[in-house]
Amino acid sequence: MDFFREANEAFVDEKYEEALKLYSSAIDADPTVAEYHVKRAQTYTKLEKFGDAEADGQKACELDSTNHKAFLRKGIAQFHLKKYKEALETLKTGSSLNETDTAFKQWIDRCAEKVPPDPAPAQTAKQVATMSNQEPVKAVDPIPEPPKERQRFDWYQTETHVIITIMIKGCKKENVDIRYNQRTFSATIRLPSGSDYSLELDLSHPVVPTHCFTRILSTKVECKLKKEEAIRWNKLEGEDTFASAAPKGSVDAANKYPSSSHHTRNWDKIAKQIEEEDKEEDKGVNGLFQKLYGDGSDEVRKAMNKSFVESGGTVLSTNWEDIGKKKTEMKAPDGMEWKNYEI
């Protein structure tokens, strides 16, 4: 049984618990293969078990000191464990092994932002004596961090782009850090609970970082990656040896949501259908009002104009006998409250 191959397939399908078991089986069968530990470290990171990820990264470095990915996985785990100084050294070592892997620069920059500045110069003997006479400061117990929330992301593709959607609501722009590289994608989002959500992907195909962009919406964070080549991706992560050129003029072939299900959907087509339905619905409602106004008497038209204007667009009446006697009150929809805007 090829545990490693099956583990890679489970990992790509986002079945991280299953992948972890299979990588562990591969390691039990042959614990001397550094790549097995590298991939299990990555899986531990996905499961936010950063201590185990660091241990596997360390083991991989010991087994193969030339494997730059081992240092990358170890460094990322140390970053999440807030061992910023150690992470910086680990990542610098890995970067020296492969200077073309842009993921190292990204993580080195993030560590550099967290590493405190050099300590102040040594104190004089007089300062030390003064401090020794002061009462010792009582140690304060650290506040335990709240458990991290598991978040889910989805992805789909068009002929020219890959779209990654992170399902987190109410994100603020200053709390979202998205970084695009040619073969890697990284997202760090500060959650309302105060903890961080992290997503790191080794992309199966290159993208154009300068043409990627992020949209922060009320219900999600949408990341749009520009494909370097117009090919259909069969996987988001890992090696994709079965990628094929997207047929020109065939949007259907390129825009299917990746899924193990035999039933696929063209999301662009569905979105277009919904848009057309909305247009038809608006057209039908507006057409009805236009017909009422056009076919109505002068009193009907006056009633419609007066009620609409006085109510701030919340009431539309054709009964002039009732509307003409008094000012039309504003009527908010059910479950809502009307408030005047004050400058």
Side-chain angles (χ1 to χ4, degrees):
M1 183 176 182
D2 192 342
F3 293 115
F4 187 65
R5 179 183 59 79
E6 292 190 9
N8 287 336
E9 292 175 358
F11 183 92
V12 169
D13 291 337
E14 301 174 34
K15 299 175 181 177
Y16 300 126
E17 294 286 357
E18 181 182 338
L20 180 61
K21 293 177 181 177
L22 290 165
Y23 283 131
S24 297
S25 297
I27 290 171
D28 290 340
D30 188 352
T32 64
V33 181
E35 188 62 22
Y36 294 175
H37 293 276
V38 170
K39 291 299 293 184
R40 191 170 71 171
Q42 187 179 12
T43 308
Y44 275 131
T45 299
K46 293 288 187 184
L47 295 171
E48 299 182 0
K49 297 179 179 180
F50 302 120
D52 293 323
E54 181 188 20
D56 257 340
Q58 175 62 32
K59 184 63 177 178
C61 292
E62 293 171 1
L63 290 171
D64 184 359
S65 59
T66 64
N67 189 323
H68 68 281
K69 286 290 186 183
F71 289 91
L72 179 63
R73 296 301 161 206
K74 179 184 174 183
I76 291 174
Q78 289 174 324
F79 177 89
H80 288 297
L81 291 169
K82 299 184 179 180
K83 299 179 179 180
Y84 302 122
K85 210 166 189 177
E86 294 96 321
L88 187 59
E89 293 303 318
T90 301
L91 292 165
K92 284 182 177 179
T93 302
S95 179
S96 67
L97 297 172
N98 188 335
E99 296 179 355
T100 62
D101 192 336
T102 54
F104 282 107
K105 183 181 184 307
Q106 166 194 332
W107 284 100
I108 287 172
D109 289 345
R110 293 177 71 172
C111 287
E113 293 171 2
K114 300 287 187 179
V115 173
D118 294 334
Q123 297 169 331
T124 63
K126 184 178 180 180
Q127 289 173 321
V128 173
T130 302
M131 293 178 65
S132 64
N133 293 328
Q134 296 178 351
E135 293 184 4
V137 179
K138 293 182 179 180
V140 180
D141 293 333
I143 301 174
E145 290 189 9
K148 294 197 173 184
E149 302 175 36
R150 296 294 300 153
Q151 306 293 340
R152 178 164 176 78
F153 74 94
D154 284 315
W155 73 283
Y156 67 96
Q157 62 182 304
T158 66
E159 189 172 340
T160 57
H161 289 82
V162 168
I163 297 87
I164 299 174
T165 305
I166 303 173
M167 308 301 184
I168 301 179
K169 296 180 180 179
C171 295
K172 295 182 180 179
K173 184 177 180 181
E174 60 269 21
N175 293 335
V176 178
D177 182 15
I178 307 294
R179 307 201 182 196
Y180 301 98
N181 287 290
Q182 189 179 31
R183 291 300 294 263
T184 60
F185 169 85
S186 171
T188 302
I189 301 173
R190 176 60 54 89
L191 302 174
S193 63
S195 59
D196 287 338
Y197 168 77
S198 179
L199 175 65
E200 289 90 34
L201 303 173
D202 291 326
L203 302 174
S204 58
H205 298 280
V207 298
V208 184
T210 54
H211 288 72
C212 300
F213 64 90
T214 306
R215 294 174 62 210
I216 302 174
L217 306 175
S218 61
T219 57
K220 61 186 178 181
V221 177
E222 186 177 89
C223 307
K224 197 167 185 178
L225 292 71
K226 170 71 174 175
K227 292 180 180 179
E228 192 172 276
E229 297 181 78
I231 58 175
R232 183 173 182 273
W233 295 17
N234 288 294
K235 299 178 180 179
L236 180 62
E237 294 184 87
E239 295 184 8
D240 182 8
T241 56
F242 299 102
S244 57
K248 291 186 177 181
S250 174
V251 179
D252 289 348
N255 297 356
K256 290 180 180 178
Y257 188 97
S259 172
S260 58
S261 171
H262 295 293
H263 177 67
T264 58
R265 298 179 181 177
N266 185 327
W267 294 103
D268 281 359
K269 187 176 180 180
I270 292 173
K272 190 173 181 180
Q273 287 175 348
I274 294 172
E275 186 178 345
E276 291 297 329
E277 288 172 3
D278 289 343
K279 287 180 180 179
E280 288 298 323
E281 184 177 347
D282 290 341
K283 185 178 178 182
V285 173
N286 291 330
L288 175 61
F289 290 149
Q290 290 171 3
K291 181 174 176 58
L292 283 173
Y293 191 85
D295 296 344
S297 63
D298 289 341
E299 289 188 348
V300 168
R301 294 178 185 177
K302 285 195 295 182
M304 293 177 72
N305 285 329
K306 184 174 183 294
S307 61
F308 188 81
V309 172
E310 291 180 345
S311 69
T314 60
V315 175
L316 185 64
S317 175
T318 58
N319 187 351
W320 175 251
E321 184 177 348
D322 178 53
I323 294 297
K325 294 177 182 178
K326 57 185 179 180
K327 181 180 178 180
T328 308
E329 297 295 330
M330 296 176 180
K331 184 179 179 181
D334 292 340
M336 299 184 71
E337 180 182 355
W338 179 272
K339 288 187 179 181
N340 291 323
Y341 179 75
E342 296 180 2
I343 299 177

